[in-house]
Amino acid sequence: MTALLEIEDLRVTFNTRHGQVTALDSVSLHVNEGETLGVVGESGCGKSITALSVMGLIPSPPGRIAGGEIRLDGENLVGASDKRLRRLRGAEAAMIFQEPMTSLNPVFTVGEQIAEAIMLHQKVSHDRAFRDAIELLDRVGIPSPESRARDYPHQLSGGMRQRVMIAMAVSCRPRVLIADEPTTALDVTVQAQIFDLLNEIQRDFGAAIVLITHDMGAISEMADRVAVMYAGRVIEEASADNVLDHPLHPYARGLIDCIPALGREETDLKEIPGVVPPLHLLGEGCAFADRCAHCEPRCLREKPRLVTHGNHPAAHPAACHGVEEGRI
Amino acid sequence: MTGTTAQKAPEARSPAREAWRMYRRNLPAVAGAIILLAIIGATLYGTFFYGGDPFEIVWAPHEAPGATPEFPLGTDYLGRDIVAGLLTGGGPTLAVGAAAALITMIIGVSLGALAGYYGGWLDNLLMRFTEFFQVLPALLFAMVLITLFSPSLWTIAIAIGVVSWPQTARLTRAEFLKIKELEYVTAARAIGAKNGRIIWKVILPNAAPPLIVSATLTIGVAILFEAGLSFLGLGDPNQMSWGLMIGANREYILDAWWPVTFPGLAIFLTVFAVSLVGDGLNDAFNPKLRER
């Protein structure tokens, strides 16, 4: 069976004042129907660019999809016409943004905005769309949806707004839902509610979810499979349990070590030293080399490929020479 | 709560209705609207109650206001009735102001929106075009246009519109440049909205407040512009207007203050009322002020 959404060898470049940089370098991912794929990594690793590429929303210029394919149900979206992409956006693939504070239009009521989204893809009257919007608000757990539908975004709390965004995103029953750090801007208690809601929505609508996050806690709660990204590449990919219990790549290990645990008396939190290198300074070798405790000369010369090394039951694809050589 | 959701036919309160609710509570704005409506009403229907040809010489020149009950605001240097002049001259003045502002907004907002939204070479092209108009001295350019196409209300309105749109275009472009980067624009694109829809329904409503203010200011400027052109003798000579009254009587201002003062006051009051209305509209369309 082919996956619902397949990204193959995707390469995205940006023209910057440092010349052309490669924001995504041969990224391959796939999600099946009803599955949740977690995409993790620090800021600047290319998670959001991946999401925007799928939606066909890479700002162009300066951005450009330089190669690869994005297949939604077998149809390649790279190079598809604007008209076709517009049809697909919202109807087949929808996106939830990071900042619920700014991703709703401030001058229209939330009900109105959801109704607009419905009318973009379905031939229904405005009244009907508005009624559907109220039902959706009810569905995403907004109390007294009928009066809330007439509220403006600034009258709602952050959690409520994110619920509205989710209602808008699922209004046309998309098959792929991309959630770009949907809870980063929210309180921890609200985060759990939003995850519950996403899980419920997935159960009801059977949508595939791509959850983009830097929060390993969110991954353990939501994801079936995980792809770890670093500097525009996927460096490790496996089932969520597998990655969380047996991370291979030193970067993935670092991310998991960074999760603070309650009850553990730790004087200082673990961290990964250094920052994600600027894309225009990426060299020949492994992008993580200068932050890696296991770096060897080969790591500076040669880019590791994403392949499974060894035949341990928990073995899974990881792009690391150290793993390949059995050093790590 | 949940049970009643589906049944009751919900009426979606339109932004316009919502704005009207806000506007009603804004006292200066309501006062402005009343003054403006009174002025418009007087210029439209005033002549039914107060007859008289504004060009006809009806009395001795420079009759002071109040001296003769028949001519409450006196007469001008030719002995023409000033009240008749104000009532008949208001229509053309207001019409030219409104038409010129409309032309300004249509040209300015369209070009500014296209330039700001699409950017790139289109932006470059449109902005160079705008600058070309911007560097021409407005009054002189308008005078050239009017003398080229004999002065009439229409040519005056078009001339004022043609010389004043660049500012609106720049303002619109700046607003579009700012708003198009915001996340809700990307979000609108992500649900499949077309460019036209994003321009009209997403960005423009958010850019509206400064544009509405600028539109009302443009009406004021256009009325003053028309008065200035008439003052210079470039108005339509067959059409009484407030500017024409001021222009014709300016030489005798030291002998008689009233023939220029009353039309001047009328212009002042109109522009003042229009800007009150503009401020009110601006507030009314800003949802963040609505719960106050």
Side-chain angles (χ1 to χ4, degrees):
Chain A
M1 184 195 123
T2 55
L4 181 59
L5 175 70
E6 266 185 298
I7 300 173
E8 204 179 304
D9 264 339
L10 186 67
R11 209 176 114 83
V12 174
T13 58
F14 277 81
N15 286 318
T16 69
R17 56 203 162 89
H18 303 294
Q20 198 185 62
V21 299
T22 307
L24 291 186
D25 194 2
S26 50
V27 167
S28 297
L29 293 170
H30 68 99
V31 208
N32 297 314
E33 214 156 305
E35 188 188 36
T36 300
L37 170 73
V39 179
V40 275
E42 288 163 285
S43 308
C45 283
K47 297 167 298 176
S48 295
I49 296 293
T50 311
L52 290 175
S53 308
V54 173
M55 301 300 293
L57 292 176
I58 294 285
S60 162
R64 191 170 79 87
I65 294 186
E69 287 192 2
I70 299 169
R71 284 188 299 271
L72 182 61
D73 212 7
E75 180 186 352
N76 187 5
L77 305 184
V78 175
S81 70
D82 276 357
K83 199 173 159 196
R84 181 71 193 136
L85 282 176
R86 227 163 28 227
R87 278 281 153 68
L88 295 173
R89 275 180 218 145
E92 297 285 321
M95 188 159 169
I96 302 166
F97 291 85
Q98 183 170 357
E99 268 294 343
M101 300 294 163
T102 55
S103 45
L104 289 165
N105 188 339
V107 301
F108 292 105
T109 61
V110 294
E112 202 59 45
Q113 292 186 53
I114 301 174
E116 282 279 321
I118 294 171
M119 287 193 295
L120 275 175
H121 296 286
Q122 292 167 23
K123 281 199 162 52
V124 292
S125 71
H126 179 269
D127 276 1
R128 175 68 207 283
F130 198 79
R131 271 200 302 276
D132 288 353
I134 292 174
E135 253 169 73
L136 278 163
L137 288 175
D138 188 32
R139 179 67 198 76
V140 296
I142 287 186
S144 40
E146 204 157 328
S147 60
R148 282 305 185 186
R150 293 190 183 80
D151 278 352
Y152 288 87
H154 70 273
Q155 292 168 300
L156 303 178
S157 68
M160 288 277 203
R161 285 189 227 186
Q162 199 55 296
R163 284 171 194 268
V164 170
M165 279 307 290
I166 293 173
M168 198 184 300
V170 299
S171 63
C172 295
R173 300 190 158 247
R175 301 174 66 192
V176 177
L177 191 58
I178 299 174
D180 187 357
E181 311 218 11
T183 59
T184 307
L186 303 176
D187 284 348
V188 185
T189 46
V190 182
Q191 282 182 16
Q193 292 169 12
I194 295 292
F195 285 140
D196 286 346
L197 175 61
L198 283 174
N199 275 327
E200 259 177 63
I201 295 273
Q202 183 170 42
R203 247 197 338 269
D204 292 6
F205 293 67
I209 294 182
V210 178
L211 176 70
I212 293 172
T213 181
H214 53 240
D215 175 4
M216 289 309 261
I219 290 295
S220 68
E221 197 163 334
M222 291 287 294
D224 301 313
R225 271 186 316 110
V226 178
V228 183
M229 289 190 74
Y230 189 77
R233 285 168 158 261
V234 177
I235 53 148
E236 182 159 345
E237 194 197 336
S239 74
D241 294 341
N242 207 338
V243 171
L244 287 168
D245 296 342
H246 308 284
L248 296 175
H249 197 289
Y251 180 62
R253 292 177 189 214
L255 283 181
I256 289 164
D257 283 344
C258 288
I259 310 172
L262 277 182
R264 246 195 294 161
E265 285 286 334
E266 276 168 314
T267 40
D268 50 0
L269 288 167
K270 289 227 177 70
E271 56 172 310
I272 306 176
V275 291
V276 183
L279 291 170
H280 66 279
L281 294 180
L282 285 185
E284 291 284 291
C286 173
F288 189 62
D290 61 338
R291 301 171 71 184
C292 184
H294 311 277
C295 177
E296 300 226 328
R298 185 185 172 199
C299 300
L300 297 172
R301 282 196 316 269
E302 193 186 324
K303 267 203 173 74
R305 291 183 311 125
L306 181 67
V307 280
T308 311
H309 304 288
N311 44 17
H312 183 269
H316 53 259
C320 177
H321 296 311
V323 174
E324 185 190 343
E325 294 158 8
R327 284 189 276 125
I328 303 173
Chain B
M1 207 156 42
T2 358
T4 57
T5 309
Q7 296 117 24
K8 249 191 275 164
E11 40 96 43
R13 255 187 310 190
S14 70
R17 281 252 286 286
E18 200 65 18
W20 166 233
R21 206 173 55 83
M22 262 311 278
Y23 191 93
R24 269 184 328 201
R25 289 198 241 149
N26 187 341
L27 203 62
V30 171
I34 292 172
I35 297 173
L36 194 61
L37 285 176
I39 293 171
I40 293 171
T43 58
L44 283 180
Y45 303 110
T47 44
F48 287 124
F49 304 104
Y50 191 96
D53 182 347
F55 288 105
E56 197 188 337
I57 295 168
V58 289
W59 199 252
H62 287 164
E63 180 76 5
T68 316
E70 270 176 273
F71 308 109
L73 297 181
T75 59
D76 73 356
Y77 74 110
L78 288 177
R80 302 183 292 196
D81 185 359
I82 288 177
V83 176
L86 285 178
L87 291 178
T88 36
T93 304
L94 291 173
V96 167
L102 194 67
I103 294 168
T104 304
M105 290 314 283
I106 290 174
I107 306 178
V109 170
S110 327
L111 296 191
L114 289 176
Y117 184 74
Y118 287 104
W121 63 267
L122 186 66
D123 182 28
N124 258 319
L125 183 78
L126 290 175
M127 280 304 109
R128 295 302 84 76
F129 183 64
T130 307
E131 275 156 16
F132 173 74
F133 277 85
Q134 223 170 1
V135 293
L136 295 170
L139 187 62
L140 282 179
F141 186 33
M143 285 164 67
V144 170
L145 287 176
I146 291 164
T147 40
L148 273 178
F149 312 93
S150 62
S152 75
L153 286 185
W154 269 110
T155 51
I156 294 170
I158 291 172
I160 297 173
V162 165
V163 300
S164 18
W165 66 265
Q167 277 194 31
T168 308
R170 296 213 82 105
L171 179 68
T172 310
R173 172 176 175 269
E175 285 295 310
F176 267 68
L177 283 178
K178 187 180 77 188
I179 295 171
K180 79 168 175 181
E181 299 297 332
L182 297 180
E183 211 163 25
Y184 57 79
V185 177
T186 314
R189 220 171 269 144
I191 57 165
K194 290 182 192 162
N195 286 331
R197 187 179 205 90
I198 292 173
I199 291 175
W200 279 107
K201 298 213 71 172
V202 181
I203 304 183
L204 197 58
N206 282 289
L211 294 181
I212 289 173
V213 174
S214 136
T216 53
L217 289 178
T218 309
I219 295 178
V221 170
I223 289 175
L224 296 175
F225 214 118
E226 191 272 341
L229 287 169
S230 301
F231 175 87
L232 292 172
L234 283 168
D236 185 343
N238 304 313
Q239 201 46 271
M240 185 52 77
S241 78
W242 294 341
L244 185 69
M245 292 170 77
I246 298 175
N249 286 291
R250 71 179 191 277
E251 288 171 42
Y252 313 102
I253 190 165
L254 294 177
D255 302 326
W257 55 269
W258 56 93
V260 288
T261 306
F262 290 118
L265 272 178
I267 291 173
F268 163 75
L269 207 59
T270 310
V271 174
F272 177 62
V274 166
S275 51
L276 284 181
V277 170
D279 267 356
L281 288 176
N282 183 29
D283 291 351
F285 279 104
N286 186 347
K288 290 202 179 138
L289 297 174
R290 267 180 208 156
E291 317 81 291
R292 283 219 225 119

